[in-house]
Amino acid sequence: MTVQIVAGTIYLCSTMSMVKFTVEDRDGSKQELEAPTDMGLSLMETLKAFEYNIMATCGGMALCATCHVKFQKGQDQLSEKTDAEWDMLDTLPDADDTSRLACQIRLDDHLEGAEFKICGDLE
Amino acid sequence: MITTDICIVGAGPVGLFAVFEAGLLKMRCHLIDALPQVGGQLSEIYPHKPIYDIPGFPSVNAQELVDNLMEQIAPFHPTFTLGERVESIERQADQSFVVGTNEGTTIACKVIVIAAGLGSFEPRKPAIERLEEFEHGKGVAYMVKNPELFRDKEIVLAGGGDSALDWTIYLANISKRVTLVHRGETFRGAPDSAEKVFNLAKEGKIDLILKANLKKIDGNGSLKSVFYEDADKKEQTIKADYLIPLFGLSPKLGPIADWGLGIEKAQVSVDTTDYSTNVPGIYAIGDINTYTGKLKLILCGFHEGAIMVQSAFKHVFPDKHLSFKYTTVNGVHEF
């Protein structure tokens, strides 16, 4: 029986892998989200799917920085920034060492337990 | 004044292809783009990147697609105003429009098609108060158009990108005093430029203030001082004739936002029947528009252009009957 449960769990994980992380909106409200990692989404696309107000003017090409987020937890686990993301963050007046562009972060297990705040412009 | 049937705002792929579709219906087009060349993002940002979802092209480089579009529309002799930004539209008594640019170019047209993609790229402004009070020659400038303006003046630059480094080096030679304020400790820009800036600071030719953030500005009619928070979180002041914040460019809708169009999240709302806006005679196609189910794809913009011209025809030739013809049957008839 135990094996079956374990096997069932493994089966579920392999087909519908989920990741949990916490989002703080601009007004300070926090929410834990659970999202599937096997749909090839970026964090920006996921936040929009959860109806967070993100302009994403450039559609995910690291050109507009309207998906700027600042990590409070879990930043070290994330993938390295690309040159395009570095270049954009370099130019932002309000960026700091915890800043990332959500469009450049793949939604995967590295986000498990992470906490971040939405900072991108709304105009 | 330039006279045309359709004035297309934006010379990216969607604006260019609209010329072809309009040409099939014997409508002439003039295109305006803020960038100095045609192609929009494709030419400006990723000319060498392959695009995989253009029907009939398993892979095509962005610039190659632009070049092909220019070849495709050549028979319809479109005209261009490049490097200028559309500022104003004026409705005429006969319902036609006069479009004006920031350089004073005017275009008389019967239809306006907004194909402006992400909008125009404008300088990103830091979130400090009273910036606008000192814009337009009173001490705050977001780009260096005429360096002579800064000769023998006290200048504060802010930012950490290539342009901040380059202008710091340049202005160090002609200005009375140059201070560069950067929130980081290092510069990721060209290593040569960064080294030059560090050396200028060592030699005492500029002031380099690292790990610091702009906080506020002050003046009376013209800029007098810039305040920043230093690495120890203490507020400091610099005497300044000019502040030049160089924080890159961000895409903005710009003056289009003031034309009375339905706007939703910096995009223009359209009726998908013909991609018309709420203002008769003005259409929006490509990434700039929004509707239920919108996909920001070049191929969707091409489709929108083909549908749009059928409707635009009624504004350009109100007395003519439009009959739909295939290019395979009818060919492409050069103007």
Side-chain angles (χ1 to χ4, degrees), chain B residues 208-253:
Chain B
L208 179 60
I209 300 172
L210 300 173
K211 294 176 81 175
N213 286 297
L214 294 182
K215 280 290 153 194
K216 59 180 181 178
I217 53 179
D218 197 15
N220 187 8
S222 61
L223 187 71
K224 294 278 180 271
S225 42
V226 172
F227 298 76
Y228 65 93
E229 189 180 79
D230 69 13
D232 300 322
K233 305 276 176 209
K234 284 187 187 142
E235 190 173 282
Q236 308 286 355
T237 316
I238 319 167
K239 195 164 159 274
D241 299 310
Y242 284 96
L243 168 66
I244 312 176
L246 295 169
F247 293 116
L249 302 172
S250 78
K252 298 275 181 205
L253 202 48

Side-chain angles (χ1 to χ4, degrees), chain B residues 2 5 41 80 87 110 169 178 222 238 254-255 273 283 288-289:
Chain B
I2 297 159
D5 295 323
Q41 281 179 60
F80 296 90
E87 289 290 316
K110 291 168 184 144
I169 295 164
V178 172
S222 61
I238 319 167
T273 312
Y283 298 81
I288 197 84
N289 76 12

Side-chain angles (χ1 to χ4, degrees), chain B residues 145-182:
Chain B
K145 276 187 186 163
N146 173 18
E148 279 305 309
L149 190 64
F150 305 105
R151 183 174 288 279
D152 301 326
K153 302 284 185 196
E154 295 185 84
I155 313 292
V156 177
L157 294 115
D162 281 339
S163 57
L165 293 171
D166 291 347
W167 284 116
T168 298
I169 295 164
Y170 187 91
L171 294 176
N173 286 321
I174 63 167
S175 301
K176 185 174 168 192
R177 192 74 205 160
V178 172
T179 307
L180 174 61
V181 178
H182 175 39

Side-chain angles (χ1 to χ4, degrees), chain B residues 10-19 31 33 38-43 46 51 54 62 65-66 69 72-73 115 117 285-287 297-299 301-302:
Chain B
V14 170
L16 293 175
F17 188 66
V19 174
L31 298 98
D33 202 295
V38 300
Q41 281 179 60
L42 277 65
S43 303
Y46 51 95
I51 305 172
I54 304 297
L65 178 63
V66 172
L69 284 164
Q72 193 170 20
I73 65 177
I285 56 175
D287 284 0
L297 292 176
I298 293 171
L299 73 97
F302 289 166

